[in-house]
Amino acid sequence: MRSATISRKTAETDIAVTVSLDGTGRSTIATGIGFLDHMLDLLARHALFDLDVKVDGDLHIDQHHSAEDCGIALGQAFAKALGDKRGVTRYADIHLPMDEALTRVCVDISGRPFLVFRTAFRVEKIGNFDTELVREWFQAFAMNAGLTLHVETLYGDNAHHIAESCFKGLARALRKAVAIDPREEGRVPSTKGSL
């Protein structure tokens, strides 16, 4: 079972994350940010990862630290759960529709973190959630998970739908990328011999 637990405590947040890459999509999420809870629940369900996330953050200031640090801790747990990446498919991409919105997500479990995020929101808030924090979460996750990650919303109007297509797209791409490819016969999928 590829799983890991990360605890991360700073002056701004106290976070505990457990992820199992070979799960069933079960999740227990409590970040203190309702919309982020919803997105992480979608991520777990559509990636078929089991995910436990508990965040105590300085929400009296704003949601930034909690959202970003959650991405950091979840990325670290993801990388730890992957281990040496033997046998993984490594690459995956998907076009994810959510009503009128369509987002393309491409991932490489490369060990070389990089994010291209071409998604724009016409509004600053989804409920009380700052839409700019979607990118912040993806940046933190990709850098700490060691992923090359491209996210591009091709079109869409509703901010909730756009954000949801990004998170669901990530989930489905990760589900494919972490899958064990029996043809790899346990090798690391790189000519370098390591990722």
Side-chain angles (χ1 to χ4, degrees), residues 13 15 29-41 53-60 62-71 125-131 133-134 137:
T13 59
I15 301 176
I29 314 290
T31 67
I33 305 169
F35 186 75
L36 184 58
D37 289 357
H38 178 43
M39 294 299 103
L40 296 180
D41 185 49
V53 177
K54 175 72 172 117
V55 180
D56 290 315
D58 56 1
L59 295 176
H60 62 285
D62 68 8
Q63 299 174 347
H64 189 281
H65 299 143
S66 292
E68 181 179 35
D69 289 6
C70 176
K125 298 272 191 184
I126 302 170
N128 69 348
F129 181 78
D130 295 328
T131 52
L133 294 180
V134 175
W137 186 92

Side-chain angles (χ1 to χ4, degrees), residues 71-84:
I72 291 170
L74 184 53
Q76 291 172 347
F78 178 86
K80 186 176 177 183
L82 273 175
D84 64 7

